Amino acid sequence: METKKNEQPGLDQVVDTISADMAEVTKKGYHNLITLLKWVAMGLITGTIVGCIATLFYHALHFVNEFRDSNPWILYGLPFAGLLIVFLYRVSKNNKDTGTNMVIASIHSSTGVSHKMAPLIFITTVLTHLCGGSAGREGAAIQLGGSITDFLSSIKVFRFSPDDRRINIMCGMSAGFAALFGTPLASSVFSMEVISVGIMHYSALVPCTLASYTAYFIASHFGMHPESFTILQIPAFDMGKLLIFMLFGIATAAISILFCTCMHRTEHLLKDKVKNPYIRIFSAGIVIILLTLVLGTREYLGSGMGIIMEIFETNSPAAFYVFLLKILFTALTIGSGFKGGEIVPSFCIGAAFGSFAAAFMGMPVTLVAACGMVGVFCGVTNCPITSLLIAFEMFGFQGMPYFLITVGVSYMLSGYYGLYSAQRIMYSKMETRFVNLKAH
């Protein structure tokens, strides 16, 4: 009898412990489920709103690009478009806007994204493309999405914490990128990867994925055509080709460093030498016009997508100077104050360089052009996973070994350079060592 009495309290204690554990598990499970539902709802809302606005932006850019192609005289309005851009930012008291850097910096800090950024970047990017500035569109879409979702986060009814607000901004970035370029898988990861190199914000995975695909479906429904290209020939991968593409990866890393350096140095030089922003942007517009007339071609105007399409459609290499001139035109455009993005120009630079290098490598033009696109993109954004996903979505999976080695080497050897100075590189690219540096 005494033994049973002594055993009973022990059994009760086990039952109480199990009950307490189950209650704790249930409580945590309920909390996690509510969190999931919250981000499902916010991802869908963000994707819908940003997707609709980005779709409008996509069609506006498509319209002005077609108008510019059929009305060559509009190029002469570029300096005056520049004056209007500076005026709009000054009159809105947003003249210290640093574009995508501001969006990235807002995630690192407690500062918000200006709610004026969305309409400003929409209008000014359309003006830049209308008159022939060498700029892309995805950078503008990232700013558009970040600004819109930060505004949503500020609405008190949602009761977002600072950490929630950061995740929501990343959702907006993913949605804007997906709606403009048609790569929802890469877009889902890009906003998580670009913020802090070496650290992925996996807490944003579900909402970013939902926002990205929602925006993509909306944009596709209303006429957005995803960017995709056909690689005409993909030879069997072997050790010899591995070594060849390792060397090519080194070259794309060098091109990405050159592009980043030219972008930053041109901006700093122009601001240092020409203090007045009106004179600075007007003068740059005139220089771009003169360069276009001297070269006798307009292929360096706009995003550069025309150059990429010509390479893949004709299966012919670009001249050796094409990628250099695209760097020059883009650096002058963005560095002087015109608005837009740098991502499609980086694709153009990579495709032009890759197609030129293909002859020396003894490899198919379109394959090396594709590897050049993702290699340079990786080098300037420091986003290897996004680069691989973009490659799969734009070119298919068959060239995976070539993409992987190019992206891996480009990422390692591009150092701590990057288009976005607000981007933080948390871990060394060479060692398992915490560095916490800003991209430069």
Side-chain angles (χ1 to χ4, degrees), residues 62-85:
H62 182 71
F63 172 79
V64 298
N65 282 320
E66 285 195 340
F67 183 86
R68 187 188 72 241
D69 291 340
S70 58
N71 297 273
W73 57 266
I74 199 69
L75 172 64
Y76 299 104
L78 185 61
F80 303 98
L83 294 178
L84 180 56
I85 288 170

mmCIF file with all atom_site columns, all heavy atoms in Angstrom, residues 62-85:
data_model
loop_
_atom_site.group_PDB
_atom_site.id
_atom_site.type_symbol
_atom_site.label_atom_id
_atom_site.label_alt_id
_atom_site.label_comp_id
_atom_site.label_asym_id
_atom_site.label_entity_id
_atom_site.label_seq_id
_atom_site.pdbx_PDB_ins_code
_atom_site.Cartn_x
_atom_site.Cartn_y
_atom_site.Cartn_z
_atom_site.occupancy
_atom_site.B_iso_or_equiv
_atom_site.pdbx_formal_charge
_atom_site.auth_seq_id
_atom_site.auth_comp_id
_atom_site.auth_asym_id
_atom_site.auth_atom_id
_atom_site.pdbx_PDB_model_num
ATOM 1   N N   . HIS A 1 62 ? 5.663  50.685 -71.682 1.00 0.00 ? 62 HIS A N   1
ATOM 2   C CA  . HIS A 1 62 ? 5.554  50.085 -73.017 1.00 0.00 ? 62 HIS A CA  1
ATOM 3   C C   . HIS A 1 62 ? 5.068  51.116 -74.032 1.00 0.00 ? 62 HIS A C   1
ATOM 4   O O   . HIS A 1 62 ? 5.600  51.201 -75.156 1.00 0.00 ? 62 HIS A O   1
ATOM 5   C CB  . HIS A 1 62 ? 4.581  48.900 -72.961 1.00 0.00 ? 62 HIS A CB  1
ATOM 6   C CG  . HIS A 1 62 ? 4.416  48.174 -74.254 1.00 0.00 ? 62 HIS A CG  1
ATOM 7   N ND1 . HIS A 1 62 ? 5.413  47.381 -74.793 1.00 0.00 ? 62 HIS A ND1 1
ATOM 8   C CD2 . HIS A 1 62 ? 3.378  48.135 -75.151 1.00 0.00 ? 62 HIS A CD2 1
ATOM 9   C CE1 . HIS A 1 62 ? 5.005  46.876 -75.946 1.00 0.00 ? 62 HIS A CE1 1
ATOM 10  N NE2 . HIS A 1 62 ? 3.775  47.320 -76.185 1.00 0.00 ? 62 HIS A NE2 1
ATOM 11  N N   . PHE A 1 63 ? 4.115  51.927 -73.639 1.00 0.00 ? 63 PHE A N   1
ATOM 12  C CA  . PHE A 1 63 ? 3.570  52.950 -74.526 1.00 0.00 ? 63 PHE A CA  1
ATOM 13  C C   . PHE A 1 63 ? 4.622  54.004 -74.874 1.00 0.00 ? 63 PHE A C   1
ATOM 14  O O   . PHE A 1 63 ? 4.810  54.341 -76.052 1.00 0.00 ? 63 PHE A O   1
ATOM 15  C CB  . PHE A 1 63 ? 2.352  53.617 -73.883 1.00 0.00 ? 63 PHE A CB  1
ATOM 16  C CG  . PHE A 1 63 ? 1.842  54.814 -74.653 1.00 0.00 ? 63 PHE A CG  1
ATOM 17  C CD1 . PHE A 1 63 ? 1.059  54.631 -75.785 1.00 0.00 ? 63 PHE A CD1 1
ATOM 18  C CD2 . PHE A 1 63 ? 2.163  56.109 -74.251 1.00 0.00 ? 63 PHE A CD2 1
ATOM 19  C CE1 . PHE A 1 63 ? 0.598  55.734 -76.504 1.00 0.00 ? 63 PHE A CE1 1
ATOM 20  C CE2 . PHE A 1 63 ? 1.704  57.207 -74.966 1.00 0.00 ? 63 PHE A CE2 1
ATOM 21  C CZ  . PHE A 1 63 ? 0.916  57.015 -76.098 1.00 0.00 ? 63 PHE A CZ  1
ATOM 22  N N   . VAL A 1 64 ? 5.324  54.522 -73.867 1.00 0.00 ? 64 VAL A N   1
ATOM 23  C CA  . VAL A 1 64 ? 6.287  55.596 -74.148 1.00 0.00 ? 64 VAL A CA  1
ATOM 24  C C   . VAL A 1 64 ? 7.494  55.081 -74.930 1.00 0.00 ? 64 VAL A C   1
ATOM 25  O O   . VAL A 1 64 ? 8.071  55.814 -75.749 1.00 0.00 ? 64 VAL A O   1
ATOM 26  C CB  . VAL A 1 64 ? 6.746  56.310 -72.854 1.00 0.00 ? 64 VAL A CB  1
ATOM 27  C CG1 . VAL A 1 64 ? 5.571  56.980 -72.162 1.00 0.00 ? 64 VAL A CG1 1
ATOM 28  C CG2 . VAL A 1 64 ? 7.474  55.373 -71.902 1.00 0.00 ? 64 VAL A CG2 1
ATOM 29  N N   . ASN A 1 65 ? 7.874  53.828 -74.708 1.00 0.00 ? 65 ASN A N   1
ATOM 30  C CA  . ASN A 1 65 ? 8.988  53.265 -75.479 1.00 0.00 ? 65 ASN A CA  1
ATOM 31  C C   . ASN A 1 65 ? 8.616  53.109 -76.948 1.00 0.00 ? 65 ASN A C   1
ATOM 32  O O   . ASN A 1 65 ? 9.432  53.375 -77.842 1.00 0.00 ? 65 ASN A O   1
ATOM 33  C CB  . ASN A 1 65 ? 9.422  51.918 -74.894 1.00 0.00 ? 65 ASN A CB  1
ATOM 34  C CG  . ASN A 1 65 ? 10.269 52.081 -73.642 1.00 0.00 ? 65 ASN A CG  1
ATOM 35  O OD1 . ASN A 1 65 ? 11.115 52.959 -73.569 1.00 0.00 ? 65 ASN A OD1 1
ATOM 36  N ND2 . ASN A 1 65 ? 10.041 51.242 -72.643 1.00 0.00 ? 65 ASN A ND2 1
ATOM 37  N N   . GLU A 1 66 ? 7.390  52.684 -77.199 1.00 0.00 ? 66 GLU A N   1
ATOM 38  C CA  . GLU A 1 66 ? 6.926  52.587 -78.586 1.00 0.00 ? 66 GLU A CA  1
ATOM 39  C C   . GLU A 1 66 ? 6.806  53.973 -79.213 1.00 0.00 ? 66 GLU A C   1
ATOM 40  O O   . GLU A 1 66 ? 7.149  54.166 -80.391 1.00 0.00 ? 66 GLU A O   1
ATOM 41  C CB  . GLU A 1 66 ? 5.580  51.863 -78.647 1.00 0.00 ? 66 GLU A CB  1
ATOM 42  C CG  . GLU A 1 66 ? 5.670  50.359 -78.443 1.00 0.00 ? 66 GLU A CG  1
ATOM 43  C CD  . GLU A 1 66 ? 4.401  49.648 -78.854 1.00 0.00 ? 66 GLU A CD  1
ATOM 44  O OE1 . GLU A 1 66 ? 3.334  50.311 -78.924 1.00 0.00 ? 66 GLU A OE1 1
ATOM 45  O OE2 . GLU A 1 66 ? 4.462  48.435 -79.116 1.00 0.00 ? 66 GLU A OE2 1
ATOM 46  N N   . PHE A 1 67 ? 6.329  54.931 -78.427 1.00 0.00 ? 67 PHE A N   1
ATOM 47  C CA  . PHE A 1 67 ? 6.203  56.304 -78.926 1.00 0.00 ? 67 PHE A CA  1
ATOM 48  C C   . PHE A 1 67 ? 7.576  56.867 -79.279 1.00 0.00 ? 67 PHE A C   1
ATOM 49  O O   . PHE A 1 67 ? 7.742  57.518 -80.312 1.00 0.00 ? 67 PHE A O   1
ATOM 50  C CB  . PHE A 1 67 ? 5.531  57.180 -77.863 1.00 0.00 ? 67 PHE A CB  1
ATOM 51  C CG  . PHE A 1 67 ? 5.302  58.594 -78.314 1.00 0.00 ? 67 PHE A CG  1
ATOM 52  C CD1 . PHE A 1 67 ? 4.161  58.927 -79.031 1.00 0.00 ? 67 PHE A CD1 1
ATOM 53  C CD2 . PHE A 1 67 ? 6.234  59.595 -78.039 1.00 0.00 ? 67 PHE A CD2 1
ATOM 54  C CE1 . PHE A 1 67 ? 3.947  60.241 -79.451 1.00 0.00 ? 67 PHE A CE1 1
ATOM 55  C CE2 . PHE A 1 67 ? 6.026  60.908 -78.462 1.00 0.00 ? 67 PHE A CE2 1
ATOM 56  C CZ  . PHE A 1 67 ? 4.869  61.215 -79.168 1.00 0.00 ? 67 PHE A CZ  1
ATOM 57  N N   . ARG A 1 68 ? 8.580  56.587 -78.426 1.00 0.00 ? 68 ARG A N   1
ATOM 58  C CA  . ARG A 1 68 ? 9.941  57.085 -78.694 1.00 0.00 ? 68 ARG A CA  1
ATOM 59  C C   . ARG A 1 68 ? 10.519 56.449 -79.958 1.00 0.00 ? 68 ARG A C   1
ATOM 60  O O   . ARG A 1 68 ? 11.167 57.114 -80.761 1.00 0.00 ? 68 ARG A O   1
ATOM 61  C CB  . ARG A 1 68 ? 10.854 56.774 -77.499 1.00 0.00 ? 68 ARG A CB  1
ATOM 62  C CG  . ARG A 1 68 ? 12.244 57.396 -77.616 1.00 0.00 ? 68 ARG A CG  1
ATOM 63  C CD  . ARG A 1 68 ? 13.178 56.930 -76.530 1.00 0.00 ? 68 ARG A CD  1
ATOM 64  N NE  . ARG A 1 68 ? 13.582 55.547 -76.710 1.00 0.00 ? 68 ARG A NE  1
ATOM 65  C CZ  . ARG A 1 68 ? 13.335 54.573 -75.848 1.00 0.00 ? 68 ARG A CZ  1
ATOM 66  N NH1 . ARG A 1 68 ? 12.687 54.814 -74.736 1.00 0.00 ? 68 ARG A NH1 1
ATOM 67  N NH2 . ARG A 1 68 ? 13.734 53.339 -76.096 1.00 0.00 ? 68 ARG A NH2 1
ATOM 68  N N   . ASP A 1 69 ? 10.260 55.161 -80.139 1.00 0.00 ? 69 ASP A N   1
ATOM 69  C CA  . ASP A 1 69 ? 10.775 54.474 -81.323 1.00 0.00 ? 69 ASP A CA  1
ATOM 70  C C   . ASP A 1 69 ? 10.174 55.027 -82.619 1.00 0.00 ? 69 ASP A C   1
ATOM 71  O O   . ASP A 1 69 ? 10.860 55.098 -83.643 1.00 0.00 ? 69 ASP A O   1
ATOM 72  C CB  . ASP A 1 69 ? 10.496 52.971 -81.222 1.00 0.00 ? 69 ASP A CB  1
ATOM 73  C CG  . ASP A 1 69 ? 11.324 52.298 -80.139 1.00 0.00 ? 69 ASP A CG  1
ATOM 74  O OD1 . ASP A 1 69 ? 12.356 52.876 -79.739 1.00 0.00 ? 69 ASP A OD1 1
ATOM 75  O OD2 . ASP A 1 69 ? 10.927 51.204 -79.687 1.00 0.00 ? 69 ASP A OD2 1
ATOM 76  N N   . SER A 1 70 ? 8.907  55.394 -82.556 1.00 0.00 ? 70 SER A N   1
ATOM 77  C CA  . SER A 1 70 ? 8.247  55.906 -83.768 1.00 0.00 ? 70 SER A CA  1
ATOM 78  C C   . SER A 1 70 ? 8.354  57.421 -83.915 1.00 0.00 ? 70 SER A C   1
ATOM 79  O O   . SER A 1 70 ? 7.976  57.970 -84.956 1.00 0.00 ? 70 SER A O   1
ATOM 80  C CB  . SER A 1 70 ? 6.774  55.487 -83.773 1.00 0.00 ? 70 SER A CB  1
ATOM 81  O OG  . SER A 1 70 ? 6.111  55.954 -82.614 1.00 0.00 ? 70 SER A OG  1
ATOM 82  N N   . ASN A 1 71 ? 8.861  58.092 -82.898 1.00 0.00 ? 71 ASN A N   1
ATOM 83  C CA  . ASN A 1 71 ? 9.034  59.552 -82.941 1.00 0.00 ? 71 ASN A CA  1
ATOM 84  C C   . ASN A 1 71 ? 10.435 59.915 -82.459 1.00 0.00 ? 71 ASN A C   1
ATOM 85  O O   . ASN A 1 71 ? 10.616 60.347 -81.310 1.00 0.00 ? 71 ASN A O   1
ATOM 86  C CB  . ASN A 1 71 ? 7.982  60.242 -82.069 1.00 0.00 ? 71 ASN A CB  1
ATOM 87  C CG  . ASN A 1 71 ? 6.571  60.010 -82.556 1.00 0.00 ? 71 ASN A CG  1
ATOM 88  O OD1 . ASN A 1 71 ? 6.066  60.737 -83.396 1.00 0.00 ? 71 ASN A OD1 1
ATOM 89  N ND2 . ASN A 1 71 ? 5.920  58.977 -82.014 1.00 0.00 ? 71 ASN A ND2 1
ATOM 90  N N   . PRO A 1 72 ? 11.444 59.724 -83.302 1.00 0.00 ? 72 PRO A N   1
ATOM 91  C CA  . PRO A 1 72 ? 12.833 59.936 -82.884 1.00 0.00 ? 72 PRO A CA  1
ATOM 92  C C   . PRO A 1 72 ? 13.133 61.338 -82.358 1.00 0.00 ? 72 PRO A C   1
ATOM 93  O O   . PRO A 1 72 ? 14.051 61.511 -81.559 1.00 0.00 ? 72 PRO A O   1
ATOM 94  C CB  . PRO A 1 72 ? 13.632 59.661 -84.175 1.00 0.00 ? 72 PRO A CB  1
ATOM 95  C CG  . PRO A 1 72 ? 12.728 58.823 -85.015 1.00 0.00 ? 72 PRO A CG  1
ATOM 96  C CD  . PRO A 1 72 ? 11.348 59.274 -84.699 1.00 0.00 ? 72 PRO A CD  1
ATOM 97  N N   . TRP A 1 73 ? 12.344 62.312 -82.771 1.00 0.00 ? 73 TRP A N   1
ATOM 98  C CA  . TRP A 1 73 ? 12.585 63.691 -82.345 1.00 0.00 ? 73 TRP A CA  1
ATOM 99  C C   . TRP A 1 73 ? 12.440 63.877 -80.832 1.00 0.00 ? 73 TRP A C   1
ATOM 100 O O   . TRP A 1 73 ? 12.983 64.837 -80.272 1.00 0.00 ? 73 TRP A O   1
ATOM 101 C CB  . TRP A 1 73 ? 11.612 64.635 -83.060 1.00 0.00 ? 73 TRP A CB  1
ATOM 102 C CG  . TRP A 1 73 ? 10.166 64.292 -82.834 1.00 0.00 ? 73 TRP A CG  1
ATOM 103 C CD1 . TRP A 1 73 ? 9.366  63.528 -83.621 1.00 0.00 ? 73 TRP A CD1 1
ATOM 104 C CD2 . TRP A 1 73 ? 9.348  64.679 -81.717 1.00 0.00 ? 73 TRP A CD2 1
ATOM 105 N NE1 . TRP A 1 73 ? 8.098  63.406 -83.086 1.00 0.00 ? 73 TRP A NE1 1
ATOM 106 C CE2 . TRP A 1 73 ? 8.061  64.115 -81.919 1.00 0.00 ? 73 TRP A CE2 1
ATOM 107 C CE3 . TRP A 1 73 ? 9.564  65.446 -80.584 1.00 0.00 ? 73 TRP A CE3 1
ATOM 108 C CZ2 . TRP A 1 73 ? 7.010  64.295 -81.013 1.00 0.00 ? 73 TRP A CZ2 1
ATOM 109 C CZ3 . TRP A 1 73 ? 8.520  65.637 -79.678 1.00 0.00 ? 73 TRP A CZ3 1
ATOM 110 C CH2 . TRP A 1 73 ? 7.264  65.061 -79.900 1.00 0.00 ? 73 TRP A CH2 1
ATOM 111 N N   . ILE A 1 74 ? 11.738 62.955 -80.170 1.00 0.00 ? 74 ILE A N   1
ATOM 112 C CA  . ILE A 1 74 ? 11.493 63.112 -78.729 1.00 0.00 ? 74 ILE A CA  1
ATOM 113 C C   . ILE A 1 74 ? 12.787 63.076 -77.926 1.00 0.00 ? 74 ILE A C   1
ATOM 114 O O   . ILE A 1 74 ? 12.844 63.573 -76.789 1.00 0.00 ? 74 ILE A O   1
ATOM 115 C CB  . ILE A 1 74 ? 10.499 62.027 -78.229 1.00 0.00 ? 74 ILE A CB  1
ATOM 116 C CG1 . ILE A 1 74 ? 9.860  62.434 -76.880 1.00 0.00 ? 74 ILE A CG1 1
ATOM 117 C CG2 . ILE A 1 74 ? 11.188 60.684 -78.086 1.00 0.00 ? 74 ILE A CG2 1
ATOM 118 C CD1 . ILE A 1 74 ? 8.915  63.572 -76.962 1.00 0.00 ? 74 ILE A CD1 1
ATOM 119 N N   . LEU A 1 75 ? 13.849 62.509 -78.509 1.00 0.00 ? 75 LEU A N   1
ATOM 120 C CA  . LEU A 1 75 ? 15.145 62.471 -77.824 1.00 0.00 ? 75 LEU A CA  1
ATOM 121 C C   . LEU A 1 75 ? 15.610 63.868 -77.439 1.00 0.00 ? 75 LEU A C   1
ATOM 122 O O   . LEU A 1 75 ? 16.227 64.055 -76.382 1.00 0.00 ? 75 LEU A O   1
ATOM 123 C CB  . LEU A 1 75 ? 16.192 61.796 -78.727 1.00 0.00 ? 75 LEU A CB  1
ATOM 124 C CG  . LEU A 1 75 ? 17.650 61.842 -78.244 1.00 0.00 ? 75 LEU A CG  1
ATOM 125 C CD1 . LEU A 1 75 ? 17.823 61.061 -76.938 1.00 0.00 ? 75 LEU A CD1 1
ATOM 126 C CD2 . LEU A 1 75 ? 18.592 61.280 -79.318 1.00 0.00 ? 75 LEU A CD2 1
ATOM 127 N N   . TYR A 1 76 ? 15.290 64.852 -78.279 1.00 0.00 ? 76 TYR A N   1
ATOM 128 C CA  . TYR A 1 76 ? 15.755 66.219 -78.012 1.00 0.00 ? 76 TYR A CA  1
ATOM 129 C C   . TYR A 1 76 ? 15.046 66.854 -76.814 1.00 0.00 ? 76 TYR A C   1
ATOM 130 O O   . TYR A 1 76 ? 15.431 67.932 -76.355 1.00 0.00 ? 76 TYR A O   1
ATOM 131 C CB  . TYR A 1 76 ? 15.571 67.078 -79.265 1.00 0.00 ? 76 TYR A CB  1
ATOM 132 C CG  . TYR A 1 76 ? 16.368 66.548 -80.440 1.00 0.00 ? 76 TYR A CG  1
ATOM 133 C CD1 . TYR A 1 76 ? 15.731 65.852 -81.474 1.00 0.00 ? 76 TYR A CD1 1
ATOM 134 C CD2 . TYR A 1 76 ? 17.748 66.696 -80.484 1.00 0.00 ? 76 TYR A CD2 1
ATOM 135 C CE1 . TYR A 1 76 ? 16.456 65.337 -82.536 1.00 0.00 ? 76 TYR A CE1 1
ATOM 136 C CE2 . TYR A 1 76 ? 18.483 66.186 -81.546 1.00 0.00 ? 76 TYR A CE2 1
ATOM 137 C CZ  . TYR A 1 76 ? 17.839 65.503 -82.556 1.00 0.00 ? 76 TYR A CZ  1
ATOM 138 O OH  . TYR A 1 76 ? 18.572 64.990 -83.607 1.00 0.00 ? 76 TYR A OH  1
ATOM 139 N N   . GLY A 1 77 ? 14.042 66.173 -76.318 1.00 0.00 ? 77 GLY A N   1
ATOM 140 C CA  . GLY A 1 77 ? 13.375 66.656 -75.111 1.00 0.00 ? 77 GLY A CA  1
ATOM 141 C C   . GLY A 1 77 ? 13.997 66.130 -73.832 1.00 0.00 ? 77 GLY A C   1
ATOM 142 O O   . GLY A 1 77 ? 13.559 66.503 -72.728 1.00 0.00 ? 77 GLY A O   1
ATOM 143 N N   . LEU A 1 78 ? 15.041 65.293 -73.955 1.00 0.00 ? 78 LEU A N   1
ATOM 144 C CA  . LEU A 1 78 ? 15.639 64.679 -72.771 1.00 0.00 ? 78 LEU A CA  1
ATOM 145 C C   . LEU A 1 78 ? 16.144 65.701 -71.744 1.00 0.00 ? 78 LEU A C   1
ATOM 146 O O   . LEU A 1 78 ? 15.860 65.557 -70.549 1.00 0.00 ? 78 LEU A O   1
ATOM 147 C CB  . LEU A 1 78 ? 16.773 63.729 -73.188 1.00 0.00 ? 78 LEU A CB  1
ATOM 148 C CG  . LEU A 1 78 ? 17.431 62.921 -72.054 1.00 0.00 ? 78 LEU A CG  1
ATOM 149 C CD1 . LEU A 1 78 ? 16.415 62.014 -71.366 1.00 0.00 ? 78 LEU A CD1 1
ATOM 150 C CD2 . LEU A 1 78 ? 18.589 62.075 -72.599 1.00 0.00 ? 78 LEU A CD2 1
ATOM 151 N N   . PRO A 1 79 ? 16.885 66.743 -72.161 1.00 0.00 ? 79 PRO A N   1
ATOM 152 C CA  . PRO A 1 79 ? 17.345 67.721 -71.154 1.00 0.00 ? 79 PRO A CA  1
ATOM 153 C C   . PRO A 1 79 ? 16.182 68.404 -70.432 1.00 0.00 ? 79 PRO A C   1
ATOM 154 O O   . PRO A 1 79 ? 16.266 68.679 -69.223 1.00 0.00 ? 79 PRO A O   1
ATOM 155 C CB  . PRO A 1 79 ? 18.146 68.725 -71.984 1.00 0.00 ? 79 PRO A CB  1
ATOM 156 C CG  . PRO A 1 79 ? 18.543 67.985 -73.224 1.00 0.00 ? 79 PRO A CG  1
ATOM 157 C CD  . PRO A 1 79 ? 17.394 67.061 -73.505 1.00 0.00 ? 79 PRO A CD  1
ATOM 158 N N   . PHE A 1 80 ? 15.103 68.667 -71.147 1.00 0.00 ? 80 PHE A N   1
ATOM 159 C CA  . PHE A 1 80 ? 13.956 69.348 -70.544 1.00 0.00 ? 80 PHE A CA  1
ATOM 160 C C   . PHE A 1 80 ? 13.171 68.393 -69.637 1.00 0.00 ? 80 PHE A C   1
ATOM 161 O O   . PHE A 1 80 ? 12.623 68.815 -68.605 1.00 0.00 ? 80 PHE A O   1
ATOM 162 C CB  . PHE A 1 80 ? 13.059 69.926 -71.653 1.00 0.00 ? 80 PHE A CB  1
ATOM 163 C CG  . PHE A 1 80 ? 13.792 70.868 -72.555 1.00 0.00 ? 80 PHE A CG  1
ATOM 164 C CD1 . PHE A 1 80 ? 14.288 70.439 -73.774 1.00 0.00 ? 80 PHE A CD1 1
ATOM 165 C CD2 . PHE A 1 80 ? 14.022 72.183 -72.162 1.00 0.00 ? 80 PHE A CD2 1
ATOM 166 C CE1 . PHE A 1 80 ? 14.976 71.302 -74.600 1.00 0.00 ? 80 PHE A CE1 1
ATOM 167 C CE2 . PHE A 1 80 ? 14.721 73.062 -72.979 1.00 0.00 ? 80 PHE A CE2 1
ATOM 168 C CZ  . PHE A 1 80 ? 15.207 72.620 -74.203 1.00 0.00 ? 80 PHE A CZ  1
ATOM 169 N N   . ALA A 1 81 ? 13.144 67.124 -70.012 1.00 0.00 ? 81 ALA A N   1
ATOM 170 C CA  . ALA A 1 81 ? 12.553 66.121 -69.120 1.00 0.00 ? 81 ALA A CA  1
ATOM 171 C C   . ALA A 1 81 ? 13.349 66.060 -67.824 1.00 0.00 ? 81 ALA A C   1
ATOM 172 O O   . ALA A 1 81 ? 12.784 65.915 -66.730 1.00 0.00 ? 81 ALA A O   1
ATOM 173 C CB  . ALA A 1 81 ? 12.537 64.752 -69.801 1.00 0.00 ? 81 ALA A CB  1
ATOM 174 N N   . GLY A 1 82 ? 14.667 66.197 -67.933 1.00 0.00 ? 82 GLY A N   1
ATOM 175 C CA  . GLY A 1 82 ? 15.523 66.215 -66.752 1.00 0.00 ? 82 GLY A CA  1
ATOM 176 C C   . GLY A 1 82 ? 15.196 67.380 -65.835 1.00 0.00 ? 82 GLY A C   1
ATOM 177 O O   . GLY A 1 82 ? 15.135 67.228 -64.597 1.00 0.00 ? 82 GLY A O   1
ATOM 178 N N   . LEU A 1 83 ? 14.981 68.558 -66.419 1.00 0.00 ? 83 LEU A N   1
ATOM 179 C CA  . LEU A 1 83 ? 14.610 69.734 -65.613 1.00 0.00 ? 83 LEU A CA  1
ATOM 180 C C   . LEU A 1 83 ? 13.300 69.485 -64.867 1.00 0.00 ? 83 LEU A C   1
ATOM 181 O O   . LEU A 1 83 ? 13.164 69.847 -63.686 1.00 0.00 ? 83 LEU A O   1
ATOM 182 C CB  . LEU A 1 83 ? 14.467 70.959 -66.518 1.00 0.00 ? 83 LEU A CB  1
ATOM 183 C CG  . LEU A 1 83 ? 15.735 71.470 -67.205 1.00 0.00 ? 83 LEU A CG  1
ATOM 184 C CD1 . LEU A 1 83 ? 15.397 72.671 -68.097 1.00 0.00 ? 83 LEU A CD1 1
ATOM 185 C CD2 . LEU A 1 83 ? 16.805 71.859 -66.184 1.00 0.00 ? 83 LEU A CD2 1
ATOM 186 N N   . LEU A 1 84 ? 12.347 68.861 -65.551 1.00 0.00 ? 84 LEU A N   1
ATOM 187 C CA  . LEU A 1 84 ? 11.056 68.578 -64.920 1.00 0.00 ? 84 LEU A CA  1
ATOM 188 C C   . LEU A 1 84 ? 11.211 67.563 -63.791 1.00 0.00 ? 84 LEU A C   1
ATOM 189 O O   . LEU A 1 84 ? 10.566 67.690 -62.738 1.00 0.00 ? 84 LEU A O   1
ATOM 190 C CB  . LEU A 1 84 ? 10.074 68.054 -65.980 1.00 0.00 ? 84 LEU A CB  1
ATOM 191 C CG  . LEU A 1 84 ? 8.662  67.717 -65.494 1.00 0.00 ? 84 LEU A CG  1
ATOM 192 C CD1 . LEU A 1 84 ? 8.018  68.922 -64.810 1.00 0.00 ? 84 LEU A CD1 1
ATOM 193 C CD2 . LEU A 1 84 ? 7.806  67.246 -66.665 1.00 0.00 ? 84 LEU A CD2 1
ATOM 194 N N   . ILE A 1 85 ? 12.077 66.582 -63.976 1.00 0.00 ? 85 ILE A N   1
ATOM 195 C CA  . ILE A 1 85 ? 12.319 65.577 -62.938 1.00 0.00 ? 85 ILE A CA  1
ATOM 196 C C   . ILE A 1 85 ? 12.883 66.232 -61.678 1.00 0.00 ? 85 ILE A C   1
ATOM 197 O O   . ILE A 1 85 ? 12.412 65.988 -60.556 1.00 0.00 ? 85 ILE A O   1
ATOM 198 C CB  . ILE A 1 85 ? 13.272 64.482 -63.455 1.00 0.00 ? 85 ILE A CB  1
ATOM 199 C CG1 . ILE A 1 85 ? 12.549 63.600 -64.478 1.00 0.00 ? 85 ILE A CG1 1
ATOM 200 C CG2 . ILE A 1 85 ? 13.805 63.623 -62.298 1.00 0.00 ? 85 ILE A CG2 1
ATOM 201 C CD1 . ILE A 1 85 ? 13.455 62.648 -65.232 1.00 0.00 ? 85 ILE A CD1 1
#
